[in-house]
Amino acid sequence: QPPPRSAAPPPRCLAGPPRELARVVAPTRMWRRAAVGLFRQAAGQASPNRALLRPPRPPQCHWPRAGRSVAASADPAGAPGLPVGGEDAEDQQLAEQIAHYAAMRPNPLSLGRVLEMMTPWLMARFIYKELPIRYAERIRSIEALPGWGAVPDLAEVRRRHVRTFEDIVMSGRFPSRSSLGDPDLLLDFNQVVRSAAIRQTDVQLLTARAMHTLHRQNPDTFSVGFIDKWLDDFLLNWIGTEMLVAHYLACVHGQPTGIVDPRCDVAEVCRDVAFTMQRLCQDLRGRVPPVQVLSRSALEEDRRAPAFSYIPSFLNYILIEILKNCCRATLESTQDDLKLQKRPITVLVCADERRVAIRISDLARGIPFDVGAHVWSYMYSTARKQAEGATPIAGYGVGLPLSRLYARYLGGSLDLISWPGYGTDVHLFLPRLTSEQVEVVPDQDNEDE
């Protein structure tokens, strides 16, 4: 008769293997396990393991948080009512912590430095110190808006930010190289980062929608110029946070260079996006605008196919937004399929040793001069003015302005020139040297520097 089974100990939050076994199992396996679901979600891929993306049960894993315990949650919306407990002293302590970190100067990284921090513990040390600074800056920006608490979307964005800020800052001193040898502690930290990424997935939509609400309620205080400047700073800061989080999770998942491609083939990315947009037009409109991609370079070694270190997902987003507008405008410019074939969209990729340039031009009769000045405004959207359906982001005018922010984030630029009656040119310039690809992180305390 087999001996009776002893009662198993209650499972810990994200409990890894027993310590004896953990010393044998390679830490990379545990990192991959903890981060694969979120990394695939951030990359827009379906995870074959649905359990990795399923929000876990509310765990009873407690970090040492300044004398109180707060359960870490992976719920995208977070638990209602932060800070937990609601005591005045705790509220005051949290407010002081946010003010302290908001006053600190952020530490922008160059893409070259990002590529040097491929070891998960190195990246963990950096984001542990840096993320609270960037979160606190955005929390302060929200709290500076008059009447922000009366706008549900804005209150929700702040609450998510506060939750993530508290998860990181109040979790005690972490990490050091030696502490990352503790599998349980590492998995707990990965879960905090994973939860942070899940909470931020639709922040751009919620924030833009909230600012539209404030403009409708009080157009004098929240003018178009004020909203455009506020959203530019807020979302540019948000892009930097998203990059750090996604890159860390990619490193944990074992990606050799994280989310950065050291040999990003610009023309190939353009062709992939053009093909995707053509298929989308075929599905939605039953017609396909012609798109041609040309590639040139001043460097012999490029062999007419410039490649450089960049984040492909950022380039994809920029190109999708531009080509989406070009394809729609081209299809609407004529209903004659023969004339349509004479109005190709041209994507030209050029480069020298310092820059990569992409020019996207169409022959869709352009846009009026007075309209062209508004295409970069979050308060203007062509999709919202038309009868056709629009994606939620495009419908709130975030697509093109956010594309320009993705270009600016690593030192690039995005501009549009309209030729009314003829067509439109969009010019994208990106620095090619990793030493010049430096994060642009808005900081209210150092705006003039």
Side-chain angles (χ1 to χ4, degrees):
Q1 182 177 1
R5 296 182 180 179
S6 59
R12 295 185 57 190
C13 167
L14 287 176
R19 288 187 181 276
E20 295 78 14
L21 181 60
R23 294 172 186 167
V24 181
V25 177
T28 28
R29 283 191 198 165
M30 291 176 285
W31 294 336
R32 291 175 184 173
R33 230 151 130 211
V36 62
L38 178 63
F39 175 70
R40 288 180 180 276
Q41 184 187 38
Q45 302 173 4
S47 172
N49 188 351
R50 293 181 178 273
L52 291 172
L53 294 179
R54 188 184 305 124
R57 298 175 195 159
Q60 297 303 316
C61 168
H62 299 293
W63 297 70
R65 297 172 185 260
R68 60 181 171 139
S69 294
V70 180
S73 171
D75 186 344
L82 273 182
V84 175
E87 292 88 348
D88 291 343
E90 294 171 349
D91 293 350
Q92 180 62 29
Q93 182 187 37
L94 181 59
E96 290 173 357
Q97 287 277 7
I98 291 173
H100 170 72
Y101 278 93
M104 296 173 67
R105 185 191 298 267
N107 300 282
L109 292 175
S110 68
L111 206 58
R113 180 70 180 127
V114 171
L115 287 171
E116 292 173 2
M117 292 196 298
M118 295 310 304
T119 307
W121 76 268
L122 280 175
M123 197 66 192
R125 286 180 60 189
F126 179 80
I127 67 173
Y128 175 73
K129 296 177 181 178
E130 183 68 14
L131 287 185
I133 298 174
R134 303 193 186 190
Y135 272 96
E137 178 71 19
R138 297 200 297 276
I139 293 170
R140 181 173 63 173
S141 296
I142 293 174
E143 293 176 345
L145 296 173
W148 66 268
V151 181
D153 287 332
L154 207 52
E156 172 67 10
V157 171
R158 178 198 175 269
R159 187 181 62 76
R160 295 186 193 182
H161 276 62
V162 170
R163 179 59 184 270
T164 299
F165 175 87
E166 191 179 38
D167 280 352
I168 298 173
V169 172
M170 301 296 188
S171 61
R173 296 189 60 79
F174 176 85
S176 65
R177 186 168 187 172
S178 60
S179 69
L180 285 176
D182 184 340
D184 292 335
L185 185 58
L186 176 63
L187 288 175
D188 284 347
F189 184 70
N190 288 349
Q191 178 63 12
V192 168
V193 179
R194 178 179 182 273
S195 299
I198 294 175
R199 292 188 193 112
Q200 302 305 306
T201 51
D202 59 347
V203 159
Q204 69 274 42
L205 170 60
L206 292 175
T207 309
R209 196 163 63 190
M211 298 309 289
H212 278 265
T213 300
L214 289 173
H215 176 71
R216 286 195 304 270
Q217 293 175 350
N218 192 349
D220 293 332
T221 301
F222 298 100
S223 64
V224 172
F226 173 85
I227 288 176
D228 287 342
K229 174 66 167 62
W230 190 93
L231 281 173
D232 272 351
D233 291 345
F234 185 92
L235 293 177
L236 193 53
N237 189 299
W238 169 79
I239 289 173
T241 301
E242 293 300 288
M243 188 281 290
L244 294 177
V245 168
H247 185 69
Y248 171 72
L249 292 173
C251 293
V252 168
H253 184 46
Q255 297 294 321
T257 56
I259 63 171
V260 182
D261 183 356
R263 294 288 300 170
C264 179
D265 188 330
V266 185
E268 189 63 28
V269 174
C270 291
R271 292 188 188 98
D272 289 344
V273 173
F275 178 73
T276 301
M277 289 297 102
Q278 286 180 311
R279 289 189 61 182
L280 186 63
C281 290
Q282 178 65 48
D283 292 341
L284 297 179
R285 299 290 190 89
R287 305 167 69 213
V288 178
V291 181
Q292 57 182 352
V293 178
L294 308 175
S295 182
R296 302 288 186 272
S297 177
L299 301 182
E300 289 274 337
E301 54 267 32
D302 281 340
R303 298 181 179 179
R304 308 179 88 180
F308 72 133
S309 292
Y310 202 68
I311 303 174
S313 59
F314 286 12
L315 184 57
N316 264 283
Y317 182 90
I318 296 170
L319 293 172
I320 286 173
E321 287 300 326
I322 297 172
L323 282 173
K324 179 178 66 177
N325 284 278
C326 288
C327 288
R328 183 174 61 191
T330 301
L331 290 176
E332 292 172 353
S333 67
T334 179
Q335 299 300 317
D336 188 327
D337 288 344
L338 291 177
K339 290 183 179 179
L340 181 65
Q341 296 306 312
K342 297 179 181 179
R343 298 182 182 180
I345 299 169
T346 303
V347 181
L348 175 62
V349 178
C350 294
D352 62 11
E353 66 277 2
R354 297 184 65 89
R355 286 190 183 86
V356 172
I358 304 174
R359 186 191 72 186
I360 302 175
S361 56
D362 64 45
L363 301 174
R365 303 189 182 280
I367 54 179
F369 287 127
D370 58 342
V371 174
H374 300 292
V375 296
W376 304 116
S377 173
Y378 299 90
M379 305 303 294
Y380 175 82
S381 173
T382 55
R384 200 166 56 246
K385 296 179 183 299
Q386 297 177 5
E388 64 178 87
T391 62
I393 292 179
Y396 280 91
V398 177
L400 282 177
L402 194 56
S403 297
R404 188 165 65 165
L405 293 186
Y406 274 112
R408 283 180 53 196
Y409 171 64
L410 289 175
S413 64
L414 183 64
D415 298 295
L416 180 146
I417 301 175
S418 176
W419 309 95
Y422 182 76
T424 304
D425 289 348
V426 178
H427 298 160
L428 172 62
F429 292 93
L430 301 171
R432 194 171 187 179
L433 304 178
T434 55
S435 59
E436 296 180 0
Q437 296 172 320
V438 182
E439 287 187 289
V440 176
V441 184
D443 179 22
Q444 184 178 329
D445 295 322
N446 302 282
E447 282 186 338
D448 299 329
E449 296 185 12

